[in-house]
Amino acid sequence: MSDCTVLVVDDAADIRLLVKLVLDSQAGMQVVGEAANGREAVDLCARHKPNVVVLDISMPVMDGLQALPLIREVSPETSVIMLSGFTSDEIKAEAIDLGACDFVEKGSVGSTIAAAVREKMLQC
Amino acid sequence: MANQDIAGLGSCESLSGLEDNRLERLFSDIPAAVVVLSGPDHIFRFANEGYEELVGRSRRFMGLPIAQVLPEMAEQGFIALLDNVYSTGEPFFGQEMPVAVDRRSDGHLDQAYFNFAYLPAHNTQGEIDGIFVHAVDVTDLVRARVSAEELTRELDLERARLETIIEHIPAGVVIADPSGSITQANSVWGDFFEVHLDDVNDVSSWKVFDGCRPDGSSYAADEYPLARTVLCGETVLGEQIQFRSGDAVRKTIEVSSAPILDESGDIVSGVAIFSEITERLALQGELVSQRALEHAQVRIDQVLDAAGDGIWVLDSKGRTTLLNPAAQQMTGYSPQEVLGEVSHGLVHHSYVDGSPYPIESCPVYRSVFHGEQCHVDNEVFWRKDGTSFPVSYRSTPIFDGDEQIGAVQVFQDLTEQRKIETARRREEEAEVSQQQALQLNDDILQGLTITKLAFELGDTDRALHSLDRTISSMKVIINGLLSAAQDDPQLHSGSLVRTVPAGFGGEGGDEVSDNE
């Protein structure tokens, strides 16, 4: 069984690095790419067709909510987990409506993020 | 037969004693009265039928003296005339002599007129022995002439009466015959047109009047109202004719004309009456202008009343001449309080800080006295109650021709606008602050996330570094909140949590500072 491929999208390089480290340390997971904004995320999704995308909302160039429907379009099978500090119900509802599968708040520990990815990995 | 031709016919005896009666038959056929009288008593010796008809057939007169047969003749002096002719031998000729004759022998005398001749007849010795009478009844002729003369007198009287009437009519009256020749006109006509009647003897000569219609088109000779009346029988009512001098209208008349028809309906003449209406039109024009002016003034007043901007009009000395309702409402002044007063001293005497505002520095002053237009939106006007309000005003000089007669100020109270601008600015600042706060919040969350993940992965250095940045971001937020609390009286600093939460190194109650 092949690893679950993951794309990490966040404008903060430290977060991308740490999330990658967390996920790469998980069995059956492989981070296949990093993107600093929504535009790069859409391009990488089109190329790699990852199983899961961990997607920040607040990003320059193209934010996560703008990128979400485009990701679903170029890689319909990809599950998108929103990772953001915006915790309002409205944001969450909008993200879900646009195709997000889950919502993880920033500030969560790495294991929480990994668990969310694993849940989607099992659905692959 | 002329009376004079009878004189050589012979004596009375020969006339009365003709054997073949040729002359008797001849005289009988003459369409005149022929009588032969003889002797000093003028005895009838011959009389033709004409004479019998003249004096009446019922009379018997042959062989009788004329005085006996026609006694009324004696009373009228005719016997005396006969006597004179008989005695002097001088013939007598009477023209249209009035003769009263009792033709019916009933005592009623018929008045007649005769041309007659009493001619002496001579015997063979040359002695007068009788009188030859020739008379022609000209009664009808005389009566006809008299009647004509009477009619003529009546006509002249009526004509004189008509002339008097039309002369006294306070309008121009002119009468023309069917050829267009003016036959009669009163002095009003003459004074207006200064044309002699003899110069207008047919329609074609009417071009001398040189009139035109209100639209400026000239009249042809046969287009004048009276010409149309006499030529076509047209009745014209109230037609205006202008007489110009260059492009200027000198005079205008209003003409009415109508035909005069005989019993057969034929036009025998036309009459026109006209009045000069130059002054009336001028007055009408003035009245229209006055009404238009009044109407315009009403419209202006309505506009001024409806205007939401304050309008304050000054004369050439800066004194108030008009204050519209909006200006009254903004300043609290009534027109009665400000009319004639210099506006600067009422509403523009001070700057916003209350310091005196010299009139020489005032843009409105420069507008009034130097013709400068100005627009100012950073000053205040002062109300009657002593309060001020931010104002935007424009002052524009006004002119009558080339002469400046004052200035008009149009101004708006900016109070509400400033409130809105302030509120909008605060909203924008708040939005910026909010965005900054969100950004800071995001930075803090990121920092915390990095810190947690780093600690989780054992990257202590990265974790602490991230924690430092996070704390700095938090300080910025907190200090911003504290600063906003000082600016906004609605935010009481005491309502902010100024203590550091437990677990972060303090017991609580420590004030956040940049040194931490």
Side-chain angles (χ1 to χ4, degrees):
Chain A
M1 182 177 168
S2 58
D3 287 345
C4 175
T5 58
V6 183
L7 178 67
V8 177
V9 183
D10 198 296
D11 59 328
D14 286 342
I15 291 182
R16 292 199 303 274
L17 173 63
L18 293 171
V19 171
K20 181 178 184 303
L21 289 175
V22 168
L23 295 180
D24 278 343
S25 69
Q26 302 293 315
M29 293 185 193
Q30 179 188 8
V31 175
V32 297
E34 299 175 27
N37 58 63
R39 172 55 58 192
E40 292 179 4
V42 172
D43 293 340
L44 289 175
C45 282
R47 188 187 312 166
H48 297 289
K49 300 287 195 290
N51 300 120
V52 179
V53 171
V54 177
L55 180 62
D56 185 19
I57 290 181
S58 177
M59 293 183 293
V61 183
M62 181 186 292
D63 66 28
L65 292 177
Q66 292 172 328
L68 183 50
L70 300 178
I71 292 173
R72 300 287 298 158
E73 185 178 321
V74 300
S75 184
E77 300 300 322
T78 299
S79 299
V80 179
I81 299 173
M82 306 304 294
L83 176 65
S84 179
F86 292 102
T87 60
S88 69
D89 291 339
E90 290 80 10
I91 296 293
K92 289 182 179 178
E94 184 178 355
I96 298 299
D97 286 342
L98 291 174
C101 301
D102 203 352
F103 208 103
V104 175
E105 295 182 16
K106 274 190 178 176
S108 301
V109 294
S111 58
T112 304
I113 300 173
V117 174
R118 184 175 302 283
E119 181 183 347
K120 296 298 172 281
M121 180 183 77
L122 295 176
Q123 297 173 359
C124 293
Chain B
M1 183 189 295
N3 285 329
Q4 293 84 339
D5 294 337
I6 302 173
L9 290 181
S11 68
C12 172
E13 289 178 354
S14 65
L15 288 174
S16 63
L18 292 176
E19 294 180 358
D20 57 3
N21 293 327
R22 281 191 299 152
L23 288 176
E24 183 177 348
R25 288 199 298 276
L26 177 64
F27 290 146
S28 294
D29 295 337
I30 292 174
V34 175
V35 174
V36 177
L37 301 171
S38 69
D41 292 330
H42 315 303
I43 297 173
F44 281 95
R45 294 300 181 199
F46 172 81
N48 70 348
E49 288 187 8
Y51 189 79
E52 292 177 356
E53 290 179 5
L54 189 148
V55 298
R57 294 181 180 277
S58 64
R59 301 196 200 216
R60 177 179 169 273
F61 48 78
M62 291 302 294
L64 296 174
I66 190 171
Q68 179 180 342
V69 176
L70 300 171
E72 64 269 28
M73 294 298 181
E75 295 169 0
Q76 297 174 60
F78 290 101
I79 305 299
L81 287 175
L82 288 171
D83 290 343
N84 187 62
V85 171
Y86 190 88
S87 64
T88 63
E90 293 294 324
F92 177 84
F93 299 98
Q95 297 288 332
E96 298 182 355
M97 293 287 285
V99 181
V101 182
D102 185 4
R103 289 194 171 104
R104 293 179 290 277
S105 299
D106 56 358
H108 179 75
L109 299 178
D110 295 324
Q111 185 67 50
Y113 295 87
F114 295 94
N115 292 343
F116 66 90
Y118 290 159
L119 303 173
H122 299 80
N123 60 18
T124 55
Q125 286 80 34
E127 296 171 340
I128 295 173
D129 66 350
I131 295 176
F132 184 85
V133 179
H134 177 265
V136 176
D137 189 345
V138 294
T139 303
D140 292 340
L141 184 64
V142 170
R143 286 177 176 167
R145 191 185 69 251
V146 170
S147 177
E149 290 174 351
E150 186 66 26
L151 288 174
T152 300
R153 279 195 298 275
E154 288 180 4
L155 186 62
D156 288 342
L157 185 62
E158 290 301 317
R159 189 182 183 86
R161 187 178 295 134
L162 179 62
E163 286 179 352
T164 301
I165 290 172
I166 66 174
E167 188 59 36
H168 285 82
I169 292 176
V173 179
V174 57
I175 300 173
D177 65 19
S179 71
S181 174
I182 293 180
T183 58
Q184 198 167 1
N186 66 357
S187 59
V188 173
W189 185 91
D191 293 342
F192 186 88
F193 287 104
E194 299 177 343
V195 174
H196 201 274
L197 291 182
D198 293 341
D199 296 334
V200 190
N201 49 24
D202 60 22
V203 171
S204 64
S205 62
W206 287 31
K207 60 182 181 294
V208 69
F209 295 120
D210 197 23
C212 61
R213 299 175 183 82
D215 63 3
S217 60
S218 297
Y219 275 92
D222 60 352
E223 292 178 337
Y224 286 101
L226 186 55
R228 305 202 306 269
T229 293
V230 297
L231 295 177
C232 306
E234 179 182 344
T235 297
V236 179
L237 296 176
E239 185 165 313
Q240 291 188 11
I241 302 177
Q242 293 179 350
F243 300 90
R244 298 188 174 196
S245 177
D247 292 334
V249 177
R250 289 190 303 108
K251 296 181 181 179
T252 304
I253 62 173
E254 191 171 77
V255 182
S256 296
S257 62
I260 299 174
L261 308 177
D262 62 14
E263 294 177 349
S264 305
D266 295 328
I267 300 169
V268 297
S269 65
V271 59
I273 296 179
F274 71 88
S275 298
E276 185 176 352
I277 59 173
T278 310
E279 287 188 12
R280 189 186 84 191
L281 291 179
L283 286 173
Q284 285 179 345
E286 288 181 8
L287 187 60
V288 169
S289 297
Q290 180 66 27
R291 286 178 179 168
L293 188 62
E294 292 173 355
H295 185 66
Q297 184 62 50
V298 170
R299 295 286 296 274
I300 290 172
D301 289 341
Q302 291 174 339
V303 170
L304 291 175
D305 290 347
D309 292 347
I311 299 175
W312 197 308
V313 182
L314 309 175
D315 65 11
S316 59
K317 289 181 170 46
R319 296 172 300 197
T320 304
T321 61
L322 185 145
L323 188 71
N324 78 332
Q328 297 170 35
Q329 190 272 330
M330 288 185 218
T331 62
Y333 285 107
S334 67
Q336 293 77 10
E337 292 173 318
V338 302
L339 289 178
E341 300 295 331
V342 177
S343 66
H344 186 80
L346 296 170
V347 297
H348 212 200
H349 50 76
S350 303
Y351 292 107
V352 63
D353 61 1
S355 59
Y357 193 156
I359 189 172
E360 293 81 9
S361 302
C362 175
V364 175
Y365 173 89
R366 292 199 300 276
S367 174
V368 172
F369 293 101
H370 302 289
E372 299 176 5
Q373 193 170 346
C374 67
H375 177 206
V376 177
D377 59 8
N378 59 356
E379 294 181 356
V380 298
F381 275 4
W382 295 86
R383 301 186 183 93
K384 178 183 176 182
D385 63 4
T387 60
S388 67
F389 60 92
V391 68
S392 172
Y393 66 86
R394 290 178 185 274
S395 187
T396 306
I398 51 179
F399 295 87
D400 182 1
D402 294 332
E403 179 187 0
Q404 183 175 351
I405 57 174
V408 57
Q409 299 175 71
V410 180
F411 59 94
Q412 303 95 31
D413 185 337
L414 298 181
T415 304
E416 291 304 313
Q417 182 178 332
R418 293 286 164 80
K419 287 182 183 177
I420 294 172
E421 290 173 352
T422 300
R424 186 179 302 123
R425 185 172 63 251
R426 287 184 176 174
E427 285 182 10
E428 291 173 353
E429 291 173 353
E431 186 176 339
V432 170
S433 298
Q434 187 179 24
Q435 289 177 349
Q436 290 174 343
L438 289 175
Q439 184 63 44
L440 288 172
N441 180 63
D442 197 51
D443 292 343
I444 292 172
L445 288 176
Q446 279 190 342
L448 290 176
T449 303
I450 294 170
T451 302
K452 283 187 176 181
L453 289 174
F455 272 125
E456 206 174 331
L457 291 170
D459 189 346
T460 307
D461 289 339
R462 188 185 299 275
L464 290 175
H465 182 67
S466 175
L467 188 59
D468 276 342
R469 293 207 312 267
T470 303
I471 293 172
S472 296
S473 297
M474 293 173 66
K475 285 180 180 177
V476 170
I477 292 178
I478 293 170
N479 287 332
L481 289 173
L482 291 174
S483 177
Q486 289 175 352
D487 292 339
D488 191 339
Q490 292 184 357
L491 256 183
H492 302 289
S493 59
S495 65
L496 290 178
V497 178
R498 298 174 65 98
T499 56
V500 177
F504 279 81
E507 292 296 326
D510 294 338
E511 186 175 9
V512 176
S513 73
D514 290 336
N515 293 326
E516 296 182 343

